[in-house]
């Protein structure tokens, strides 16, 4: 099903190219080049393209987990973006305030701080869901706005602002930065470029570890069992003696910690400060697509993150090489998500029973589709 | 010749589903004006055959004759125009609409300006209900009606569409004994006025009671055409299951021991917040089965839930031995030795998407046996346990990794029974342990419950089937409106129990 959705998106994307007078072959070879470094027409450096893709996919993995885990408990976390921003803010605040501390102390502080902030952000939604029954889709979306405007306040005229007139925060201390995977030594030439241009950083390892922890938690622990039981049947969970409220709150806390970690990694590994780019960041929303496309499994999330990271990175090469707006990438992403939600591929495979009074209805609504229709709320406008 | 006329004739119907031959050269002939029972265990192919007759499924081969004429059906629309109506097991009603609106749905009478014509609708319905003696208020809101009346509305809906042949799919599954009786009166009246009825069921007593002729199916094939007057329960059961089955429960007299569970003046509210238990008191002894008889909805479910810890008691005490377990939650109760087979198998007793192995530890996922420090699951121990249960309780499955959803009802129930009995409980709460389960599994589950009793477990049984309560129990407590009105011996005549269940009769043994 996920592969079919991706295929469907690319076919429709090609049609869009044709209709709008662009060459789909050029478009997709641009994407391939920028995404995974093959079929490059203008002599781009493959290794650099792959490095860029990895930088993009790293936060997608952790936020993908932050969406997939609540999903298993029957909760739809639309707030990974807000949780990510909360994590990024906490990381920056700690990294600026204690900038003098050495790395072995400060780095864990900023990462754990980011996780705590993300957990807090999601925990609010979890607590509200468990106590007064406020729907997590609504609360997490609203908390996204709170996080975004809090960020705006902090770096435009607020205490973290670099200086008057900028929309950038102070940089975090060197001890708060995640080391790159390659030595930042300009004399070292790797794949024809100095090592320091590759931005690939150790956050990738943390993200992969997060995916592994997610899988372990879900499938190998009593708590993971309870999360899945609550997600599948609250009645059965209650019968078993599982506290549904406690499970909801804990699940959201853990999910928020993953999303907050993504924000912290992004600041500590790539940006080293908060900028206005975070206003228009969509990682936490792409994560929803990643979790759905990855069918909520750890391996699936990593693979889907790779796809979305490659699309993201490939968009700019497609634009510069083939002259096709990188917005096509957003169209492709949306088409993938759309076809998953509508379960088009499945319908086609069943032989298009539309319109006919058929007894052979789809046996069950795919859970993703059910949740999607419930959460058909557009993401906030990039500001 | 007139009474031999065939309303429905299906010849050599074959339908292959992926992996299953659901119907294999099935022949069915239903005479005009008879009640024809179609019986068979779950998965025998009854529903497939009826869905073919109703045009919902197209057969791979075979032919259908309605009133002697060969027909071809492309969908239910064709079936309806041929005068075939179906009352599904799960009602197709809109709860917020009135009875009248539900019945008219799709064929609403309208006034000149396309407005719903209430008066004409009401008259049409009153005509129908009067003609067939089906008392029904067309203005009542469907969702407010008891299940029996909702079913009646379904029948009227089908009649309104001009059906002469009615297919009733497991119509008594959701009904109380009283409602079943009322339904049978209605069905007999319908037949008198010339309708033909196909009655799908696996409850043999009812089939013998209501039908004229019987077609028995097993594994997609017809294994017997019987005339009701000339057959009996044993014969049908043997045909259905394919081997001789024991319909009576074979058990020795109980040897009750010490009191294990004491329920003292317990009261509790229902989900809707109204009192459901109004001071229930009884003792349950080691090695006995106490059956609770009662019309559903008289507090039996709530009583089980209070004891099992999934519902709060509003008053009174529950004692397990000397321990006051009134306020225990479900997990602590289970750890203390109270096992619970809940009445809602699919929604409560199992997580349907979980595998058998996963379901075998539901509620026990933090016990030291299956987890390390209540955190990491011991997968090997869990799989060993699941394999043992599957073997010991004869769960028919290719593997323990099969999702519970894909098991038959009987096997699903066996998984629950296995899990709850397998933990060697002191008290076993069994609520509707055989509801909707096929005969083979009923026989097995009954045998296990008696075995459990003989092993010294105290068993509390709740069942809507009076026969089940009578044949399994060592004592019978009759519940009515949240109270135990009497405690009776199991050989009490059915009439007396029925009277007590509906609030009549005189209590004995000083029950509260």
């Amino acid at each position: 099903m996920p592969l079919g959705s991706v295929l469907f998106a690319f076919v429709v994307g090609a049609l869009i190219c044709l209709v709008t007078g662009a060459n789909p072959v050029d478009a997709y070879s641009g994407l391939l080049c920028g995404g995974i470094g093959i079929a490059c027409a203008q002599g781009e450096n493959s290794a650099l393209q792959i490095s860029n893709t990895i930088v993009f996919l790293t936060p997608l993995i952790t936020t993908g987990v932050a969406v997939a885990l609540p999903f298993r408990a029957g909760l739809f976390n639309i707030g990974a973006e807000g949780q990510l921003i909360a994590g990024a803010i906490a990381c920056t605040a700690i990294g600026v305030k204690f900038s003098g501390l050495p790395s072995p102390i400060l780095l864990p502080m900023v990462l754990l701080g980011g996780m705590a902030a993300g957990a807090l952000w999601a925990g609010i939604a979890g607590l509200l869901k468990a106590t007064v029954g406020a729907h997590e889709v609504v609360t997490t979306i609203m908390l996204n706005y709170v996080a975004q405007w809090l960020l705006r306040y902090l770096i435009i005229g607020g205490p973290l602002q670099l200086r008057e007139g900028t929309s950038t925060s102070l940089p975090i201390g060197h001890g708060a930065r995640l080391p790159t995977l390659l030595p930042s030594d300009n004399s070292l030439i790797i794949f024809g470029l100095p090592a320091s241009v590759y931005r690939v950083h150790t956050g990738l390892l943390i993200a992969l570890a997060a995916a592994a922890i997610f899988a372990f938690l879900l499938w190998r622990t009593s708590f993971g069992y309870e999360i899945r039981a609550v997600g599948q049947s609250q009645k059965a969970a209650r019968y078993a003696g599982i506290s549904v409220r406690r499970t909801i709150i804990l699940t959201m806390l853990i999910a928020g910690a993953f999303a907050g970690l993504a924000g912290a990694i992004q600041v500590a590994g790539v940006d080293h400060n908060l900028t206005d780019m975070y206003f228009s960041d969509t990682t936490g929303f792409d994560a929803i697509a990643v979790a759905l496309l990855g069918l909520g499994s750890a391996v699936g999330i990593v693979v889907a993150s790779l796809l979305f990271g490659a699309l993201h990175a490939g968009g700019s090469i497609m634009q510069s090489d083939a002259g096709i707006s990188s917005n096509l990438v957003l169209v492709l992403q949306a088409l993938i998500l759309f076809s998953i939600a509508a379960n088009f591929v499945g319908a086609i495979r069943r032989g298009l029973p539309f319109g006919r009074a058929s007894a052979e209805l789809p046996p069950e609504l795919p859970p993703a589709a059910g949740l999607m229709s419930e959460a058909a709320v557009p993401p906030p406008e990039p500001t | 010749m007139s009474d031999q006329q065939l309303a429905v004739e299906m010849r050599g119907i074959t339908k292959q589903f992926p992996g299953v031959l659901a119907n294999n050269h099935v022949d069915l002939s239903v005479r005009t004006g008879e009640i024809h029972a179609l019986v068979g265990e779950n998965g025998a192919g009854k529903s497939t055959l009826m869905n073919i007759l109703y045009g919902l499924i197209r057969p791979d081969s075979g032919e259908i004759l309605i009133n002697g004429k060969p027909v071809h059906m492309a969908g239910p629309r064709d079936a309806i125009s041929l005068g075939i109506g179906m009352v599904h097991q799960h009602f197709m009603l809109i709860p917020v609409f009135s009875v009248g609106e539900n019945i008219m749905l799709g064929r609403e009478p309208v006034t000149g300006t396309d407005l719903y014509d209430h008066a004409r609708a009401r008259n049409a319905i009153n005509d129908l209900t009067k003609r067939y003696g089906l008392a029904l208020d067309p203005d009542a809101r469907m969702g407010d009606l008891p299940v029996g009346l909702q079913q009646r509305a379904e029948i009227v809906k089908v009649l309104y569409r001009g059906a002469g042949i009615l297919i009733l799919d497991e119509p008594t599954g959701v009904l109380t004994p009283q409602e079943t009786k009322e339904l049978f009166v209605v069905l007999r009246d319908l037949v008198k006025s010339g309708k033909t009825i196909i009655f799908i069921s696996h409850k043999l007593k009812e089939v013998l009671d209501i039908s004229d002729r019987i077609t028995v199916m097993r594994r997609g094939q017809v294994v017997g055409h019987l005339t009701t007057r000339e057959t009996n329960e044993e014969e049908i059961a043997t045909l259905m299951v394919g081997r001789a089955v024991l319909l009576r429960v074979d058990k020795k007299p109980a040897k009750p021991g010490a009191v294990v569970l004491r329920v003292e003046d317990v009261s509790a509210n229902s989900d809707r917040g109204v009192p459901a238990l109004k001071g229930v008191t009884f003792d349950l002894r080691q090695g006995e089965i106490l059956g609770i008889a009662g019309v559903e909805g008289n507090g039996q479910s709530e009583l089980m839930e209070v004891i099992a810890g999934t519902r709060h008691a509003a008053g009174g005490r529950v004692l397990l031995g000397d321990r006051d377990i009134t306020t225990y939650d479900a997990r602590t109760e289970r750890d203390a030795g109270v096992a619970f087979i809940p009445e809602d198998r699919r929604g409560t007793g199992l997580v349907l998407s979980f595998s058998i192995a996963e379901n075998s530890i539901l509620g026990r996922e933090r016990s030291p046996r299956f987890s390390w420090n209540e955190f990491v699951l011991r997968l090997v121990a869990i799989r060993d346990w699941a394999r043992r249960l599957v073997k010991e309780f004869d769960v028919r499955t290719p593997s323990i990794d099969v999702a519970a959803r894909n098991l038959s009802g009987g096997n699903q129930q066996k998984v629950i029974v296995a899990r709850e009995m397998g933990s060697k409980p002191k008290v076993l709460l069994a609520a509707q342990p055989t509801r909707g389960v096929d005969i083979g599994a009923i026989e097995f589950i009954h045998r296990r419950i008696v075995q459990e009793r003989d092993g010294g477990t105290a068993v509390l049984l709740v069942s809507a089937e009076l026969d089940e309560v009578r044949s399994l129990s060592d004592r019978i407590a009759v519940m009515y409106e949240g109270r135990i009105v009497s405690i009776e011996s199991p050989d009490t005549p059915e009439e007396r129990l029925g009277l007590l269940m509906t609030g009549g009769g005189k209590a004995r043994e000083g029950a509260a």
Side-chain angles (χ1 to χ4, degrees):
Chain A
M1 202 263 280
L3 284 179
S5 295
V6 174
L7 195 68
F8 166 80
F10 279 99
V11 170
V12 177
L15 290 176
I16 291 173
C17 284
L18 285 174
V19 170
T20 54
N23 184 341
V25 177
D26 288 351
Y28 289 159
S29 60
L31 278 182
L32 273 178
C33 168
I36 50 178
I38 55 172
C40 288
Q42 319 269 324
E44 285 87 354
N45 184 301
S46 298
L48 185 62
Q49 306 310 328
I50 293 171
S51 157
N52 285 340
T53 294
I54 293 175
V55 170
F56 283 124
L57 76 83
T58 301
L60 280 173
I61 295 174
T62 17
T63 47
V65 167
V67 176
L69 186 73
F71 221 88
R72 293 284 183 176
L75 300 165
F76 209 15
N77 182 13
I78 314 275
E81 183 60 34
Q83 293 143 26
L84 177 146
I85 290 174
I89 291 173
C91 169
T92 309
I94 297 167
V96 169
K97 174 93 179 161
F98 302 99
S99 58
L101 289 176
S103 182
I105 300 171
L106 188 54
L107 191 54
M109 271 174 65
V110 295
L111 294 181
L112 290 173
M115 289 173 77
L120 172 77
W121 222 248
I124 296 171
L127 191 69
L128 288 172
K129 171 85 175 183
T131 51
V132 298
H135 202 295
E136 76 281 0
V137 168
V138 177
T139 51
T140 53
I141 288 176
M142 294 305 154
L143 284 165
N144 283 341
Y145 289 111
V146 179
Q148 279 176 339
W149 290 98
L150 178 66
L151 169 69
R152 190 175 279 262
Y153 158 74
L154 285 173
I155 66 172
I156 304 179
L160 285 177
Q161 192 176 27
L162 179 61
R163 60 177 174 275
E164 193 90 16
T166 65
S167 53
T168 316
S169 80
L170 295 155
I172 56 173
H174 280 272
R177 298 180 187 184
L178 277 167
T180 51
L181 278 173
L182 300 170
S184 52
D185 181 351
N186 278 333
S187 60
L188 186 67
I189 304 295
I190 296 174
F191 293 117
L193 287 171
S196 60
V197 304
Y198 297 107
R199 294 186 299 159
V200 167
H201 56 90
T202 41
L204 174 68
L205 305 178
I206 299 177
L208 291 174
I213 289 171
F214 160 73
F216 181 81
L217 181 74
L218 199 58
W219 299 105
R220 294 298 176 94
T221 69
S222 306
F223 181 60
Y225 179 97
E226 292 171 356
I227 289 178
R228 290 182 291 126
V230 168
Q232 294 293 330
S233 167
Q234 292 204 359
K235 259 159 74 187
R238 278 196 201 94
Y239 157 76
I242 298 165
S243 164
V244 174
R245 291 178 180 200
R246 182 171 159 273
T247 308
I248 286 176
I249 295 172
L250 276 176
T251 305
M252 285 304 281
L253 283 173
I254 296 170
F258 278 123
L261 180 64
I265 288 175
Q266 199 58 18
V267 171
V270 184
D271 298 329
H272 303 149
N273 62 358
L274 288 169
T275 66
D276 48 13
M277 269 159 53
Y278 281 80
F279 299 159
S280 54
D281 178 66
T282 59
T283 310
F285 300 112
D286 296 342
I288 298 168
V290 164
L292 288 175
L293 192 62
L295 300 178
S297 82
V299 174
I301 287 169
V302 172
V303 174
S305 297
L306 179 62
L307 173 70
F308 274 65
L311 282 173
H312 199 164
S316 50
I317 298 293
M318 180 180 71
Q319 181 154 0
S320 61
D321 282 11
I324 297 162
S325 164
S326 63
N327 285 325
L328 179 64
V329 165
L330 299 179
V331 174
L332 288 175
Q333 288 184 359
L335 281 169
I336 293 172
L337 194 56
F338 171 71
S339 77
I340 294 176
N343 199 8
F344 261 146
V345 184
I348 290 168
R349 216 174 32 216
R350 279 193 306 275
L352 289 163
F354 305 119
R356 193 149 55 89
S358 168
E360 286 152 76
L361 291 171
E364 269 154 77
L365 201 63
L371 284 165
M372 284 311 295
S373 57
E374 173 189 7
V377 186
E381 295 285 304
T383 42
Chain B
M1 198 53 202
S2 70
D3 64 333
Q4 291 297 320
Q5 208 169 10
L6 295 181
V8 176
E9 192 172 8
M10 300 176 85
R11 289 185 198 151
I13 301 288
T14 297
K15 177 72 192 179
Q16 173 83 50
F17 285 125
V20 212
L21 191 56
N23 280 172
N24 184 5
H25 293 95
V26 172
D27 296 324
L28 174 76
S29 53
V30 181
R31 290 176 193 155
T32 305
E34 76 168 344
I35 299 183
H36 192 104
L38 183 61
V39 302
E41 303 213 274
N42 296 328
K46 298 169 295 191
S47 298
T48 304
L49 188 66
M50 287 303 106
N51 283 333
I52 288 172
L53 180 58
Y54 195 54
L56 284 165
I57 298 177
R58 243 170 280 179
D60 299 333
S61 63
E63 54 175 347
I64 304 172
L65 286 81
I66 302 295
N67 298 322
K69 290 186 202 76
V71 293
H72 179 78
M73 274 181 271
R77 219 173 273 268
D78 294 344
I80 291 168
S81 65
L82 285 165
I84 301 172
M86 185 144 173
V87 176
H88 295 270
Q89 187 176 5
H90 303 285
F91 303 149
M92 312 280 171
L93 297 168
I94 302 171
V96 294
F97 276 20
S98 76
V99 170
E101 286 162 342
N102 266 292
I103 291 170
M104 295 294 150
L105 197 64
R107 316 200 152 192
E108 303 88 350
V110 287
T111 62
T113 46
D114 256 14
L115 289 169
Y116 182 68
D117 191 340
H118 281 277
R120 249 171 70 202
R122 197 174 295 120
N123 288 338
I125 293 168
N126 283 337
D127 272 359
L128 268 178
T129 51
K130 220 174 280 164
R131 178 141 40 110
Y132 298 110
L134 296 156
L136 201 58
D137 173 11
D139 295 322
R141 196 168 153 273
M142 189 59 81
D144 297 336
L145 294 184
V147 177
L149 288 182
Q150 292 191 15
Q151 185 179 56
R152 185 169 290 187
E154 280 278 21
I155 294 175
V156 175
K157 187 164 95 183
V158 169
L159 292 173
Y160 176 71
R161 292 178 177 184
I165 301 163
L166 281 81
I167 306 169
L168 299 164
D169 187 7
E170 302 272 358
T172 62
V174 289
L175 302 183
T176 66
Q178 272 78 359
E179 286 172 330
T180 301
K181 264 181 208 152
E182 287 164 28
L183 171 71
F184 284 3
V185 172
V186 168
L187 295 187
R188 289 201 183 93
D189 283 350
L190 286 174
V191 169
K192 252 178 236 158
S193 58
K195 307 284 180 194
T196 306
I197 292 170
I198 303 177
F199 183 89
I200 305 175
S201 182
H202 59 248
K203 295 189 183 172
L204 302 185
K205 278 215 165 66
E206 291 174 358
V207 167
L208 287 170
D209 186 9
I210 190 75
S211 70
D212 301 306
R213 293 193 312 142
I214 303 168
T215 298
V216 187
M217 289 186 75
R218 183 172 80 239
R219 296 194 184 164
Q221 284 177 304
V222 170
V223 291
H225 294 286
L226 305 168
T227 303
T228 308
R229 249 176 296 135
E230 295 159 9
T231 185
N232 57 48
E233 236 179 302
E234 277 74 19
E235 186 184 8
I236 308 174
T238 307
L239 283 170
M240 273 168 71
V241 182
R243 62 179 168 84
V245 283
L246 198 63
L247 291 172
R248 310 268 164 272
V249 181
D250 187 24
K251 66 177 170 81
K252 294 190 222 35
K255 296 187 202 76
V259 171
V260 197
L261 185 78
R262 173 164 283 164
V263 174
E264 287 179 6
D265 198 28
V266 163
S267 56
N269 290 337
S270 74
D271 287 339
R272 284 180 299 157
V274 295
L277 294 179
K278 303 163 184 167
V280 170
T281 301
F282 64 87
D283 286 345
L284 182 63
R285 291 173 177 278
Q286 223 172 20
E288 76 160 347
I289 299 175
L290 175 63
I292 296 190
V295 177
E296 264 184 276
N298 275 278
Q300 301 95 314
S301 310
E302 286 82 1
L303 175 63
M304 288 301 221
E305 287 168 7
V306 167
I307 301 176
T310 54
R311 180 178 296 275
H312 288 294
R317 292 201 303 169
V318 181
L319 298 169
L320 182 71
D322 297 328
R323 277 159 90 184
D324 187 337
I325 60 165
T326 320
T327 56
Y328 279 22
D329 67 13
R331 190 173 299 259
T332 354
E333 294 239 359
R334 193 172 285 121
D335 294 345
V338 180
F340 181 26
I341 300 168
E343 60 181 68
D344 173 18
R345 169 172 69 236
R346 296 169 63 82
T348 306
L350 293 171
V351 179
L352 289 177
S353 59
F354 277 17
S355 70
I356 295 175
E358 286 174 313
N359 270 301
S360 75
I361 59 159
L362 186 64
R364 292 157 183 83
E365 72 280 353
R366 282 174 190 265
S367 78
R369 180 166 176 190
F370 302 124
S371 73
W372 175 78
N373 276 353
E374 296 197 14
F375 184 63
V376 182
L377 293 172
R378 299 183 195 271
L379 295 186
V380 176
I382 293 169
R383 297 184 67 81
D384 284 347
W385 160 256
R387 272 192 216 103
R388 213 193 84 201
L389 292 184
V390 162
K391 198 161 160 242
E392 201 178 315
F393 287 80
D394 190 31
V395 180
R396 308 273 168 83
T397 172
S399 107
I400 56 167
D401 298 312
V402 170
R405 170 173 289 121
N406 299 329
L407 296 177
S408 72
N411 282 311
Q412 287 177 347
Q413 187 70 358
K414 279 186 194 169
V415 172
I416 299 175
V417 168
R419 178 184 68 212
E420 299 303 316
M421 287 185 180
S423 55
K424 302 268 169 285
K426 290 182 193 141
V427 175
L428 175 66
L429 308 172
Q432 318 288 359
T434 61
R435 172 179 282 176
V437 162
D438 50 49
I439 298 183
I442 291 178
E443 187 192 15
F444 183 86
I445 291 168
H446 282 173
R447 194 149 35 89
R448 293 303 305 221
I449 290 178
V450 173
Q451 255 180 47
E452 207 49 35
R453 176 201 77 166
D454 293 343
T457 308
V459 181
L460 185 64
L461 168 79
V462 165
S463 175
E465 309 280 338
L466 199 48
D467 283 334
E468 182 168 51
V469 174
R470 291 179 69 215
S471 61
L472 275 179
S473 308
D474 302 309
R475 289 189 297 151
I476 299 178
V478 184
M479 268 192 100
Y480 176 68
E481 291 198 337
R483 288 191 183 86
I484 289 185
V485 291
S486 179
I487 292 187
E488 302 278 323
S489 89
D491 42 25
T492 309
E494 198 171 331
E495 291 68 37
R496 173 169 165 77
L497 291 176
L499 204 59
L500 286 165
M501 279 162 65
T502 48
K506 228 182 229 161
R508 58 172 215 190
E509 275 193 32

